[in-house]
Amino acid sequence: MFRMVLVGALLGGAAVQAQSAGVEISGPLVAGQSVTVTWSGPNGQNDWVGVAEPGAAGSSWVPGSWAYTSAGNPATVTLPGAGGRYELRYVTGGNEILAAQAIEVAAPAVVSGGGGLVAATASLQPSGALIGGSPLSVAWSGPNGQGDWIGLAPVGGAGSSWVGSSYAYTNSGNPVSVALPLSGGSFELRYVTGANVVLTAIPITVVAGTLPSVTLTAMTAPEGAALVIPLGPDAPRAADDYLYIAPAGAAPGDYSGGYVPIPAEGPVRMNAPAAAGQWEMRYVVTRAGEYIPVGSAPLVVTGADYKSPRFRP
């Protein structure tokens, strides 16, 4: 355990109170490992505790190896991904270093028998079908440091690389759910620290997934009218399926005319857009964080029908 307190000089004479701070670290000082930092200090806006290169300016830090003091005391900090000499600091939002302590971080593969250091390790246990577009459940063990994540990366890729939205932060739970890419392919399932250290990796091959094809019926309705949109047996009605209304020919992700979740049974109920024109109804499924239309039909929205009681003054 290390402790360092640095008291700032008086500012403008004895009438101004100097700012002081202290930092105390506990936990194995191993690259990529999470440690606990107990601190004292002014806790001002954007004050932080964390790791920087020795002698670096107060505006410098090691990416991923810091925490705002406003997050709590003690704070959890993930050590840098590479072993070596660093400084543990308390720094104000104005980049003033109020406390600094030299620390020695061991490389991830090094275990020190005398100092009680334990190398940062992790394990992964995936379960479920390796089919594109499906979620993969992954039980894990590891340091659970700030920014640690589990997910897919290109085979042999750097620790800072990942595949689309196919990842989940460890602080979201255990197991985590990782969305598999719809197109499939060969990947590495990894545990990666917030400092981009790959603690473990498993090669996996994902089979390309398939998409349903949903038939919708063309409709015509007045501006803002209540729509009852029938669905046939080809509608999967899965969780996170939606009915979008978009201008005809708009981008696949457009839902400027409105959207609603697909019900478990019965027709879709929603209102037509408030503007007359050529629109499209789209059945949209969710795959690996992407929203993909799998069926559409024209929706012609006309001016308000003033003969209807709904539109009478």
Side-chain angles (χ1 to χ4, degrees):
M1 181 176 291
F2 302 88
R3 180 172 177 81
M4 176 67 180
V5 176
L6 178 67
V7 180
L10 292 177
L11 304 176
V16 179
Q17 178 69 42
Q19 293 192 101
S20 62
V23 285
E24 183 176 336
I25 189 170
S26 59
L29 301 186
V30 178
Q33 186 68 282
S34 294
V35 293
T36 298
V37 178
T38 304
W39 56 268
S40 62
N43 194 21
Q45 184 176 8
N46 294 330
D47 287 9
W48 59 274
V49 291
V51 181
E53 298 288 346
S59 58
S60 176
W61 61 88
V62 175
S65 297
W66 61 277
Y68 286 118
T69 58
S70 60
N73 192 0
T76 299
V77 173
T78 301
L79 294 174
R85 295 181 179 180
Y86 298 93
E87 285 183 357
L88 176 69
R89 295 176 171 181
Y90 184 113
V91 183
T92 71
N95 297 328
E96 181 181 2
I97 303 170
L98 297 186
Q101 168 66 52
I103 60 173
E104 184 83 25
V105 177
V110 175
V111 178
S112 173
L117 302 182
V118 180
T121 59
S123 66
L124 300 173
Q125 292 181 310
S127 61
L130 299 179
I131 300 175
S134 302
L136 181 67
S137 178
V138 184
W140 57 271
S141 65
N144 194 22
Q146 181 182 2
D148 288 10
W149 60 272
I150 292 165
L152 302 188
V155 176
S160 57
S161 62
W162 63 89
V163 174
S165 57
S166 298
Y167 69 91
Y169 289 109
T170 58
N171 63 10
S172 66
N174 193 355
V176 296
S177 181
V178 174
L180 299 177
L182 183 64
S183 58
S186 296
F187 307 96
E188 288 181 353
L189 177 66
R190 295 176 171 181
Y191 185 114
V192 184
T193 72
N196 296 328
V197 178
V198 181
L199 296 186
T200 190
I202 300 172
I204 65 171
T205 299
V206 179
V207 177
T210 58
L211 293 172
S213 179
V214 177
T215 301
L216 297 175
T217 303
M219 300 181 70
T220 300
E223 297 169 344
L227 301 175
V228 179
I229 304 169
L231 295 176
D234 57 3
R237 298 182 185 266
D240 297 326
D241 286 4
Y242 298 92
L243 198 294
Y244 284 6
I245 296 180
D254 191 294
Y255 52 85
S256 55
Y259 75 95
V260 293
I262 298 296
E265 58 183 21
V268 176
R269 300 179 185 274
M270 63 188 302
N271 289 334
Q278 303 294 319
W279 297 82
E280 284 181 355
M281 300 173 292
R282 299 172 176 174
Y283 193 105
V284 176
V285 298
T286 307
R287 296 291 187 273
E290 297 184 38
Y291 299 91
I292 306 171
V294 294
S296 67
L299 171 64
V300 178
V301 178
T302 63
D305 180 4
Y306 287 96
K307 294 182 181 179
S308 168
R310 169 174 161 77
F311 295 104
R312 288 177 184 171

